[in-house]
């Protein structure tokens, strides 16, 4: 004990579980969790994703079951990714009213749309044969403005299929504004947009590309996703633009390597801040746990608490249902 501060004993508030529970400054609630889920056209059984143990490419039926489980656990939202049977250069299945994602949105929204927020990832990479998030120019670059027209059409198709929120993830300049205008024009003035606002060109997306079958066939996404070593104001610039264009929720992605950006957003903006604990973050913990190197359950909770404490109001995590049950 220090003679100088005889009364200062921080341990008093850590003494036992009831004390710690009462004074906890960071709490997780199931409603703040959003479950990302994959649905694939033309399969008869759910397919395990080898780099993400416990995650599946769903059939329409198994997706419904997973959606019910999430709803029963109190999860706040579900974000759907579709994998079509046929891909082409313009990602035609992405805005086809009978495309797999639209079918799945209708199914899930009809069954659990009252219990949780059903949303769609609004992008092209799952639907294009080249795996890029947009249309390509002749020289193979992602064409920003031509892609925006596709995004607008996809967002409207998703809204018509019952999506309660759309989430553009392609990092094209102007994507939120174009989608906002298209939704308004189509009568969906009340449908919110969650922008993937600060999204970095990240190696942590690796396992997702297996899950969503969307690895670029050549090149990478560094011409549009943010550089992890990029200008320090880059994310603030993105968030200013997204808010000006009408974003209702802004997201940081990945989460754990970008906790500073989450905090920066929380201190700057007046809308909810979401963070996406991405596939590589999931895979690292599952892989280490499978080797017996870490305490899986504690590490999952600690990772989520860290993201929450950094300032995230919402967390997208593949563990959403499991964690919601545990809370
Ligand atoms: C793009 C998209 C990606 C993720 C979500 N939306 C992949 C990418 O940008 O390459 C990654 C999610 C994850 O890694 O869990 N549609």
């Amino acid at each position: 004990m220090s003679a100088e501060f005889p009364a200062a004993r921080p341990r008093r508030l850590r003494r036992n579980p009831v004390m710690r529970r009462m004074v906890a400054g960071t709490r997780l609630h199931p409603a703040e969790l959003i479950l990302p889920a994959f649905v694939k056209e033309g399969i008869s059984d759910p397919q395990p994703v080898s780099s993400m143990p416990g995650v599946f490419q769903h059939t329409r039926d198994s997706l419904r079951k997973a959606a019910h489980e999430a709803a029963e656990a109190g999860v706040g939202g579900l974000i759907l990714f579709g994998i079509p049977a046929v891909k082409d250069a313009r990602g035609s299945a992405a805005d086809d009213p009978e495309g797999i994602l639209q079918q799945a949105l209708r199914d899930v929204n009809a069954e659990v749309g009252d219990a949780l927020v059903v949303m769609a990832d609004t992008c092209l990479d799952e639907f294009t044969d080249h795996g890029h998030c947009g249309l390509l120019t002749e020289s193979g670059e992602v064409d920003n403005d031509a892609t925006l027209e596709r995004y607008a059409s996809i967002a409207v198709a998703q809204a018509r299929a019952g999506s309660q929120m759309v989430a553009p993830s392609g990092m094209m300049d102007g994507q939120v504004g174009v989608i906002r205008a298209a939704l308004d024009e189509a009568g969906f003035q009340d449908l919110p947009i969650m922008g993937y606002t600060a999204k970095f060109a990240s190696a942590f997306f690796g396992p997702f590309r297996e899950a969503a079958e969307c690895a670029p066939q050549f090149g990478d996404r560094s011409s549009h996703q943010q550089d992890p070593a990029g200008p320090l104001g880059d994310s603030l610039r993105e968030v200013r633009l997204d808010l000006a264009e009408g974003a209702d929720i802004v997201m940081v992605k990945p989460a754990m390597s970008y906790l500073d950006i989450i905090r920066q957003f929380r201190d700057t903006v007046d809308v909810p801040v979401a963070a996406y604990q991405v596939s590589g973050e999931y895979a690292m913990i599952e892989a280490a746990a499978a080797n017996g190197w870490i305490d899986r359950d504690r590490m999952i909770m600690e990772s989520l608490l860290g993201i929450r404490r950094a300032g995230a109001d919402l967390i997208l995590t593949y563990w959403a249902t499991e964690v919601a049950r545990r809370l």
Side-chain angles (χ1 to χ4, degrees):
M1 263 317 280
S2 144
E4 224 182 321
F5 302 110
R9 282 183 181 267
R11 288 182 55 181
R12 286 187 194 117
L13 295 182
R14 300 176 194 146
R15 282 186 64 203
N16 58 43
V18 284
M19 189 71 75
R20 292 195 293 272
R21 176 166 165 265
M22 190 187 76
V23 301
T26 305
R27 297 180 202 274
L28 291 168
H29 191 279
E32 307 159 352
L33 302 177
I34 299 171
L35 177 70
F38 305 100
V39 58
K40 181 169 173 173
E41 190 172 26
I43 52 171
S44 44
D45 293 302
Q47 307 288 314
V49 178
S50 65
S51 52
M52 300 177 74
V55 173
F56 294 85
Q57 293 178 325
H58 283 293
T59 65
R60 281 172 67 183
D61 275 346
S62 71
L63 176 70
R64 280 153 122 145
K65 190 161 167 273
H68 276 284
E69 286 168 3
E72 270 156 35
V75 165
L78 189 66
I79 182 163
L80 296 187
F81 297 87
I83 306 146
V86 180
K87 305 189 182 207
D88 60 20
R90 59 188 295 281
S92 305
D95 52 344
D96 178 347
E98 291 312 315
I100 181 66
L101 184 49
Q102 276 65 257
Q103 289 180 337
L105 285 166
R106 280 195 291 270
D107 292 344
V108 170
N109 199 43
E111 294 192 18
V112 296
D114 291 340
L116 48 68
V117 179
V118 176
M119 43 188 125
D121 185 81
T122 308
C123 199
L124 273 168
D125 56 331
E126 296 92 10
F127 300 93
T128 52
D129 52 9
H130 45 68
H132 282 287
C133 299
L135 302 183
L136 301 180
T137 62
E138 267 172 36
S139 59
E141 281 170 70
V142 178
D143 184 338
N144 194 87
D145 295 6
T147 299
L148 292 180
E149 287 178 38
R150 296 288 296 125
Y151 285 3
S153 168
I154 296 167
V156 170
Q158 293 172 339
R160 289 197 176 122
S163 194
Q164 300 179 35
M165 190 179 303
V166 296
S169 66
M171 290 301 277
M172 294 303 120
D173 290 337
Q175 61 185 12
V176 171
V178 164
I179 288 173
R180 182 71 272 154
L183 289 173
D184 291 354
E185 166 95 24
F188 295 101
Q189 293 89 345
D190 294 331
L191 195 125
I193 300 174
M194 175 166 70
Y196 282 68
T197 300
K199 178 175 177 183
F200 289 83
S202 173
F204 287 95
F205 303 156
F208 174 92
R209 302 209 175 142
E210 181 200 341
E213 300 179 16
C214 66
Q217 298 304 301
F218 60 89
D220 59 28
R221 310 213 202 285
S222 338
S223 77
H224 43 289
Q225 296 181 346
Q226 287 175 250
D227 181 356
L232 290 180
D234 210 20
S235 300
L236 285 178
R237 189 178 192 202
E238 289 283 0
V239 84
R240 182 166 51 77
L241 292 168
D242 270 13
L243 291 174
E245 291 172 30
D248 300 283
I249 298 176
V250 295
M251 191 205 294
V252 176
K253 175 184 176 193
M256 280 174 76
S257 298
Y258 301 91
L259 296 174
D260 55 330
I261 309 294
I262 297 174
R263 170 49 51 193
Q264 208 175 40
F265 276 22
R266 187 55 290 153
D267 289 344
T268 312
V269 306
D270 56 5
V271 297
V273 174
Y276 198 146
Q277 183 178 52
V278 299
S279 57
E281 301 179 70
Y282 177 91
M284 283 195 304
I285 292 180
E286 290 290 351
N291 276 294
W293 295 339
I294 55 158
D295 180 333
R296 175 183 181 277
D297 294 359
R298 285 186 58 205
M299 203 177 254
I300 292 171
M301 294 311 282
E302 190 174 333
S303 68
L304 292 170
L305 282 169
I307 295 166
R308 186 85 179 79
R309 207 174 52 245
D313 305 292
L314 302 167
I315 305 176
L316 292 82
T317 173
Y318 298 96
W319 289 302
T321 303
E322 176 186 331
V323 168
R325 284 188 184 130
R326 218 188 289 162
L327 292 174

